[in-house]
Amino acid sequence: MTKSKKITLSASRDIPFNKLLLSQSNVRQIKSGVSIEELAEDIARRTLLASLTVRPVLDEEGGETGMFEIPAGGRRFLALELLVKQRRLNKTAPVPCIVRTDGLAEEDSLAENVQRAPLHPLDQFRAFRAMREKGKSEEEIAAAFFVSAGVVKQRLKLAAVSAALLDAYAEEQMTLDQLMAFTVNPDHERQEQVWEALKQHYSKQPYEIRRMLTEGAVRASDRRAQFVGLDNYVEAGGEILRDLFQTDDGGWLQDAALLETMVSEKLNEDAKAIRAEGWKWIEVAPDFPYGHTYDLRRIRGEAEPMSDEEEASYTSLKAEYEKLEDDYAEADELPEEVDTRLGEIETAMEALQDRPIRFEADDYAIAGAFVSIDSSGNLRVERGYVRAEDEPAVETDEASDAGGDPAVDDAIADSDEPAVDPDEEEDDDGTKPLSDRLVCDLTVHRTIALRNALAGDPQLAMLACLHTMVLQLFYHYGQDSCIEITPKATHFGAQADGLGDTSYAQGIDQRIETWAANLPKAQEDLWDALIEWDSDSRDALFAHCVSMTVNAVQEPHYRKPRALAHADVLAATLGLDMAKAGWSPTAESYLGRVTKAQIVAAVREAKGEKDAERIAGFKKPDMVAAAEELLAGTDWLPQPLRTPPLVEMPDEPEFEIIDNGDVEPQAENDDAEEQAVPLEAAE
């Protein structure tokens, strides 16, 4: 039997750095991996961990010149060269090298790069964990491998996943994205339960893993969590689940019961100060349905005026702000200290302008307040609301009642009795109050004349219309107008959960607050106030009042196809886009309230057939969660929210209004098919 020939390894030796040079036979031409600068720092910290592969440089006769070229290890040579240039390494420092003479230089370079097995990510995770267990801090590990401390935390988090799941990842039963999703919950038992459950699923998407691991938890961005404070929640023993690999809005609060208890305690504690103000009643809840105050009259308090000291402070701050703005008006960018100071001044000025509201003693006796949490997690106090049963009794003069009594009016109109009894003696002074019938006749003439005059003044007509709408929309019981126009403002809230948190509902609420603050407290002062306003302000208020009468709600018991068709025209004219307005398909707003087939159809329309097929076999809760993530950011809308395209109407023929004031009225024509109806008769 022939003995196999033993392998002889290439010789290794130390060669001075200045005897080395790069070979043109190195196959690595494209930069990748760690930079030369980072590699140099690594060599400086740990010295050279791998020898260079070199070949002797031969002269024309084939003899060695004493120089060596490097076909494999060029990046290490460049890193050493950088250290020499930085005078951190002597140019004659010995460099460990493997000297090769057989084969091709290109073969050496290719073999070294191809045969190198990359480190499995799991090995890196475990290596970081081992270093951490041996006392290295996260910052020290990060510095040693030229990564951020955040990256180290991510790697340590991955290494902390259940060993069973790490084994599945090592055996390629699980992707890295799936493994990252499991880090959201540190409970190994729960991780393994979810992994076993997912084995029965057609899809094992990371978002499904995160949803299952955070089921029952409360988002840290939730108003309740923001209200009590995350630090306070943790201090009370609550746990927050965090996702280091995706934006998680602060994580998930795992103990929902603890959170509810803390919210209730803090709300009731804050409500004590409001109750101490003396209100007749206080209602406390984390949230109230949208429109809960619409049937109540609102008492507007007056802002406390600034004291002389506060006024002087505000004036000084404003002067400083204006001076800084003038000084740096031409600067491309404000210095950091100036920008900081401007922010401080703005905050101080806003604090001075945010005045406490003062109410009268009688207001506290009949009104109350709602105490809740706003959408940002701050305490929300709505003061000065009067319930109908608490309204003080008001004595009214029946004769001056704006509405009148229809029965009395009819009796007056139909009475054949003379307005004045001719046999009745006059009063001592020769005068007598006019009869009701005469007053009615005279004021009918005045009303018709007033209508005719108002029709000739469009601006005043709009002001009169605005006046009556503001009275009824802002003053609750306002009847101080002869204009018989009633703005019907339907109130919503119970129909749609979460309506009050939408940007469009908040926009309306803010507008109402702004207008109410600028309107006079007494409704009898409204007309004079509106006359003094500029036309732009009146136009804006008019648009708001008209907008509050819009009702495009489609209800099963009240069909109004023409009104809904007009709503489409109005939306198209305005260019309304509900997606841009802020509506999105969530489990609460849509997906959880429709069938599985409708969910799949929505995903198909927004994302395509592939994604629709992928979720088609899911159970309803899983399908809803998956569809919510798939539809996020797609601007998909269900049919009732879509705005149809605006249809251009044909140009209307021009016409002119003919004034027939000087034309003799035509004779009656009993045979005419149609006759003009006088305005008075129509009325």
Side-chain angles (χ1 to χ4, degrees), residues 364-535:
Y364 291 104
I366 62 173
F370 296 94
V371 181
S372 60
I373 307 171
D374 67 15
S375 58
S376 300
N378 299 314
L379 184 70
R380 181 181 186 183
V381 182
E382 301 167 281
R383 296 177 173 87
Y385 286 94
V386 183
R387 293 166 172 163
E389 61 268 25
D390 295 329
E391 288 288 355
V394 179
E395 294 183 3
T396 59
D397 184 358
E398 293 182 3
S400 63
D401 187 359
D405 187 338
V408 174
D409 293 343
D410 293 341
I412 293 173
D414 297 336
S415 174
D416 292 330
E417 296 180 3
V420 179
D421 186 348
D423 298 328
E424 189 174 350
E425 296 183 0
E426 295 183 351
D427 291 346
D428 294 340
D429 58 359
T431 63
K432 180 178 178 64
L434 298 179
S435 68
D436 291 339
R437 173 61 186 270
L438 178 58
V439 170
C440 180
D441 286 349
L442 293 174
T443 52
V444 165
H445 282 274
R446 183 171 183 265
T447 297
I448 300 303
L450 191 58
R451 288 180 179 180
N452 187 53
L454 189 60
D457 192 336
Q459 293 299 320
L460 189 60
M462 193 194 84
L463 178 61
C465 180
L466 173 62
H467 175 252
T468 190
M469 286 197 295
V470 172
L471 281 173
Q472 296 181 59
L473 290 173
F474 284 90
Y475 291 88
H476 207 69
Y477 303 111
Q479 296 178 344
D480 297 356
S481 174
C482 64
I483 305 296
E484 292 183 335
I485 294 175
T486 302
K488 182 180 178 182
T490 303
H491 306 310
F492 310 105
Q495 293 93 335
D497 292 337
L499 183 61
D501 292 334
T502 61
S503 59
Y504 32 92
Q506 291 175 355
I508 291 176
D509 292 343
Q510 181 59 49
R511 198 177 300 116
I512 291 173
E513 288 294 322
T514 301
W515 286 122
N518 286 277
L519 292 170
K521 289 187 65 176
Q523 61 189 43
E524 57 266 23
D525 298 330
L526 177 62
W527 180 264
D528 292 337
L530 292 177
I531 288 179
E532 293 177 1
W533 283 14
D534 59 81
S535 59

Side-chain angles (χ1 to χ4, degrees), residues 86 129 135 281 291 329 368 412 495 561 624 666:
Q86 294 173 346
R129 182 180 62 185
W281 52 265
I412 293 173
Q495 293 93 335
V624 168
Q666 296 180 354

Side-chain angles (χ1 to χ4, degrees), residues 227 263-273 275 284-285 371:
F227 178 64
V263 167
S264 177
E265 291 176 352
K266 188 173 189 302
L267 260 180
N268 287 316
E269 184 65 28
D270 291 344
K272 289 181 180 178
R275 189 173 283 107
V284 182
V371 181

